[in-house]
Amino acid sequence: MRIAIDAMGGDLGPRATVRGAASAALHDPHLEIRLFGPRRQLEGEISCLPRRLVAAGSRLEVVDAAGVIAPGQRPADALRHGQASSMARMLAAVAAGDAAAGVSAGNTGALVALGRKALGTVAGIPRPAISTAMPTRSQGRCYLLDLGANVEASAERLVDFALMGELMARHVDGLEAPRVALLNVGVEGTKGTASVREADARLRAMERLDYRGYVEGDGIFAGQVDVVVCDGFVGNAVLKASEGLARMLVARVQATFEAHWSSRLVGALARPALRRLRGELDPVRYNGASLLGLAGIVVKSHGGADAAGFHFAVLRAVQEVRHDLPRCLAAGLAPRRGVGESVGRAGRVASDLDILTPGPPGDGDSQQEQR
């Protein structure tokens, strides 16, 4: 299996992406990595791999791509001028079938726009949604979407997100009937925006969907539902707040056990349990957000992810390839949306025009970056 990687995205530069990719290659002996970026720079990073990762060097192929999408570059500008960039070249490899999936830690708005242009979407989905897994109290996970690709979302888009999240949980996690809910400010039917209330009515009318109504923010982590749906503005805020809370809790617990000699003794005895708790709460383990709805597999890594975090993003892409997620989405969405499963060049052109021309809030340049 070959995975294409935009090695120039992310806040920590190509060192984190190259080392994370090498670590993933060592984890999966069937994995080949194609790195996109300036050849000399990437080959330099490969030559400097730590001893434990050197063995993976033979499975890292460099494809020269001189251009780089800047963190603040507008999606429309990336579409017009970014075709020689490492991100666009990576997506082109996925579209051409030269790679089974693509991974990038770069500019989210540009990744969504370039991904739509290169790959198109499945079953008439207008825009992809970004989804990631969140840990739950029952030691399981809950998928949250959207996380920033659609800052505002109509009722129709929220229903699309619910169906895509349900299908991902069904096929990737093997859940027979994933439980779906809408994120709201209360569980009462009268609360929420007009789009959320309308989406609620539509989802309740759907057969073969285990829809559980509204959940509040704490319901994401309760383990009572498997998919939580919201617009990208809310989802992004929830994600960032959750990551910050997890880091704060881990730091507070560690500081508490180091505050006094007696607590240090207790901390030494509790070290295995604390290590396990830290591993369960660490956002690094959940790095890798899926761009659901694209007619190809693209995973967005956290922009600030280190090599360990990028490792998990690559493995997330591998998992989706093995479940052939776009085909599952197309087959599951088409009957419910009343459209054909195939996606051609016409769908991609329409997507390009949606981005390049002014539209309602939440489209094109106004998209908030997830990471």
Side-chain angles (χ1 to χ4, degrees):
M1 181 191 304
R2 181 182 293 131
I3 303 295
I5 290 177
D6 167 20
M8 303 309 293
D11 303 337
L12 302 181
R15 177 159 299 182
T17 55
V18 171
R19 293 186 178 186
S23 175
L26 283 182
H27 180 88
D28 187 337
H30 303 291
L31 190 59
E32 296 179 5
I33 302 292
R34 184 170 286 180
L35 300 166
F36 289 80
R39 180 180 296 278
R40 182 174 297 181
Q41 190 173 2
L42 297 187
E43 289 178 346
E45 293 294 347
I46 293 173
S47 68
C48 295
L49 285 172
R51 182 176 300 178
R52 62 184 179 83
L53 299 177
V54 168
S58 62
R59 287 191 279 142
L60 303 180
E61 177 189 356
V62 174
V63 178
D64 191 36
V68 176
I69 299 295
Q73 193 167 347
R74 294 160 65 90
D77 185 59
L79 281 170
R80 292 186 181 100
H81 308 296
Q83 297 308 311
S85 67
S86 56
M87 182 185 288
R89 296 284 303 280
M90 174 271 290
L91 291 167
V94 178
D98 295 332
V103 183
S104 175
N107 180 322
T108 304
L111 185 63
V112 172
L114 290 170
R116 287 172 70 193
K117 179 176 182 179
L119 299 167
T121 57
V122 298
I125 293 292
R127 289 186 60 87
I130 300 173
S131 174
T132 196
M134 309 284 278
T136 65
R137 191 181 305 163
S138 57
Q139 297 187 337
R141 59 185 182 181
C142 173
Y143 287 107
L144 178 65
L145 69 163
D146 179 34
L147 299 178
N150 306 270
V151 174
E152 295 183 5
S154 65
E156 187 177 4
R157 293 290 77 74
L158 292 174
V159 171
D160 285 341
F161 301 165
L163 295 177
M164 290 194 293
E166 193 263 359
L167 287 166
M168 180 166 65
R170 182 187 299 273
H171 292 286
V172 175
D173 290 1
L175 301 179
E176 184 176 346
R179 300 160 297 177
V180 180
L182 282 171
L183 188 62
N184 203 351
V185 294
V187 297
E188 299 85 358
T190 57
K191 291 191 173 181
T193 62
S195 59
V196 168
R197 295 197 304 272
E198 183 182 344
D200 173 69
R202 294 189 184 194
L203 291 170
R204 289 184 185 279
M206 287 191 169
E207 299 179 357
R208 302 186 305 280
L209 181 70
D210 189 2
Y211 176 61
R212 300 297 180 95
Y214 297 144
V215 295
E216 296 180 81
D218 59 344
I220 298 170
F221 309 97
Q224 297 175 353
V225 294
D226 305 298
V227 178
V228 173
V229 175
C230 58
D231 65 50
F233 184 91
V234 171
N236 192 272
V238 169
L239 177 68
K240 297 293 178 59
S242 302
E243 291 174 343
L245 177 62
R247 293 191 182 96
M248 185 271 289
L249 288 175
V250 170
R252 282 287 183 90
V253 169
Q254 184 172 344
T256 298
F257 281 113
E258 293 175 353
H260 191 266
W261 70 267
S262 58
S263 58
R264 285 197 292 271
L265 177 60
V266 174
L269 295 174
R271 187 169 294 135
L274 292 173
R275 188 180 297 115
R276 185 170 61 254
L277 176 63
R278 181 173 184 173
E280 291 174 354
L281 293 179
D282 192 351
V284 165
R285 294 184 59 85
Y286 298 90
N287 186 42
S290 310
L291 268 64
L292 291 182
L294 291 180
I297 295 171
V298 178
V299 170
K300 172 68 174 70
S301 170
H302 196 300
D306 59 9
F310 200 81
H311 163 101
F312 284 104
V314 175
L315 295 186
R316 176 69 196 182
V318 170
Q319 186 180 30
E320 293 186 10
V321 170
R322 288 183 173 148
H323 288 88
D324 198 0
L325 188 57
R327 182 191 62 80
C328 295
L329 288 177
L333 288 170
R336 290 177 171 180
R337 301 189 86 250
V339 296
E341 294 183 22
S342 62
V343 178
R345 175 61 187 165
R348 292 198 287 271
V349 170
S351 295
D352 299 346
L353 293 175
D354 289 343
I355 296 172
L356 291 171
T357 55
D363 278 355
D365 295 343
S366 65
Q367 294 304 313
Q368 173 181 337
E369 290 189 12
Q370 177 215 1
R371 304 284 188 180

